[in-house]
């Protein structure tokens, strides 16, 4: 990090595999570490706490939420630790806010934390109330926006979320960090919002977000 430049590392679905986390360049020095969801594989509080203790040892400044593969009780644990961003917003720095929406809409796999699309829309609006006064905004959405590269299956079918798309179109956050669709690691734009899906952490993808000369920038990178 040069001078007063701040940067954050964003990762996608962990699925209980942290083997590559410490290999991300600068991860321990980052201003914060952002986790978009799916910390466990159908796990609960105990399993998530063990994993996040490992994350904490690498970087204690954690911003996290559950994905559809996590049991809802993990949100209580994240709240207790002060790390939760699901349906909430926090201040990252003087003029940057971060907000999140975890879970997902129903999948064919009947995972632990699936909700109707209207619930995601409600949570998005709820989280935005915390951060709407910030001039710069990062949205962390486990379910990727419909129509984006971040939601594209290899078959060509797009399985993104319409509420996330509508929120991005309306609010235009600077950055949307997403996940859920493992094979859709990508960068895309919806209006001025840069949408990044780093894929599963075990595949080596991550996002580097930085504030440089008053502007938020984000880049999809891979561990070499």
């Amino acid at each position: 990090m040069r001078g007063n430049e701040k940067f954050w590392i964003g990762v996608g679905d962990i699925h209980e595999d942290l083997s590559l986390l410490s290999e991300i360049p600068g991860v321990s020095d980052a201003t914060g570490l952002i986790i978009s969801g799916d910390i466990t594989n159908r796990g609960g509080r105990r399993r998530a706490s063990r994993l996040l203790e490992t994350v904490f040892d690498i970087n204690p400044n954690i911003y996290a939420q559950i994905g559809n593969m996590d049991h809802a009780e993990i949100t209580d644990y994240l709240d207790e630790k002060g790390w939760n961003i699901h349906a909430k917003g926090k201040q990252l720095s003087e003029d940057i806010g971060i907000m999140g929406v975890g879970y997902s809409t129903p999948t064919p796999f009947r995972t632990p934390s699936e909700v109707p699309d209207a619930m995601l829309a409600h949570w998005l609006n709820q989280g935005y109330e915390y951060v709407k006064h910030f001039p710069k905004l990062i949205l962390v959405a486990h379910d990727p926006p419909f129509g984006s590269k971040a939601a594209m299956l290899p078959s060509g079918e797009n399985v993104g979320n319409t509420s996330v798309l509508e929120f991005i179109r309306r609010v235009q956050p600077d950055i949307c960090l997403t996940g859920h669709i493992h094979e859709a690691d990508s960068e895309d734009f919806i209006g001025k919002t840069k949408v990044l899906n780093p894929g599963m952490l075990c595949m080596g993808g991550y996002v580097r977000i930085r504030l440089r000369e008053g502007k938020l920038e984000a880049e999809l990178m891979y561990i070499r």
Side-chain angles (χ1 to χ4, degrees), residues 87-90 125-134:
K88 291 188 173 183
K90 295 179 179 289
N125 291 328
Q126 181 177 316
Y128 185 52
E129 287 299 309
Y130 289 84
V131 292
K132 62 183 181 182
H133 57 288
F134 287 106

Side-chain angles (χ1 to χ4, degrees), residues 34-215:
I34 305 167
I35 300 170
S36 70
D38 281 1
I39 300 164
T40 71
N41 293 320
R42 300 178 184 265
R45 178 190 179 105
R46 182 177 298 180
R47 203 176 305 170
S49 65
R50 288 199 300 265
L51 290 159
L52 290 169
E53 283 168 10
T54 299
V55 175
F56 182 85
D57 289 340
I58 295 170
N59 190 312
N61 300 310
I62 298 169
Y63 303 85
Q65 63 188 12
I66 69 168
N68 60 295
M69 287 290 289
D70 304 306
H71 281 279
E73 66 186 52
I74 296 173
T75 294
D76 293 334
Y77 170 76
L78 294 174
D79 275 328
E80 290 166 16
K81 290 292 188 177
W83 299 336
N84 186 39
I85 56 172
H86 166 66
K88 291 188 173 183
K90 295 179 179 289
Q91 183 175 13
L92 277 187
S93 70
E94 184 177 338
D95 61 350
I96 304 172
I98 184 170
M99 60 168 286
V101 62
Y103 292 70
S104 80
T105 47
T107 74
F109 311 109
R110 297 183 179 181
T111 56
S113 291
E114 300 179 2
V115 294
D117 196 35
M119 194 72 236
L120 293 187
H122 170 73
W123 282 331
L124 283 162
N125 291 328
Q126 181 177 316
Y128 185 52
E129 287 299 309
Y130 289 84
V131 292
K132 62 183 181 182
H133 57 288
F134 287 106
K136 300 179 182 69
L137 180 60
I138 298 171
L139 167 65
V140 185
H142 183 64
D143 234 357
F146 178 77
S148 67
K149 293 177 183 178
M152 189 71 71
L153 297 177
S155 65
E157 181 184 3
N158 197 283
V159 292
N161 182 270
T162 55
S163 289
V164 175
L165 172 63
E166 289 165 5
F167 180 84
I168 290 173
R169 283 177 169 170
R170 174 167 56 90
V171 172
Q172 289 284 273
D174 297 86
I175 294 161
C176 173
L177 172 67
T178 188
H180 190 45
I181 309 303
H182 302 157
E183 55 270 63
D185 51 315
S186 59
E187 294 183 351
D188 203 359
F189 278 92
I190 298 172
K192 79 176 187 71
T193 302
K194 191 168 189 178
V195 180
L196 304 102
N197 181 352
M200 283 194 297
L201 176 60
C202 67
M203 300 302 291
Y206 66 97
V207 171
R208 185 181 176 95
I209 301 169
R210 60 180 176 174
L211 180 63
R212 188 171 66 168
E213 298 178 355
K215 183 180 179 182

Side-chain angles (χ1 to χ4, degrees), residues 7 9 21-22 24-31 57-61:
F7 75 99
I9 298 296
L21 183 62
S22 61
I24 296 175
V27 66
S28 295
D29 299 322
T31 312
D57 289 340
I58 295 170
N59 190 312
N61 300 310

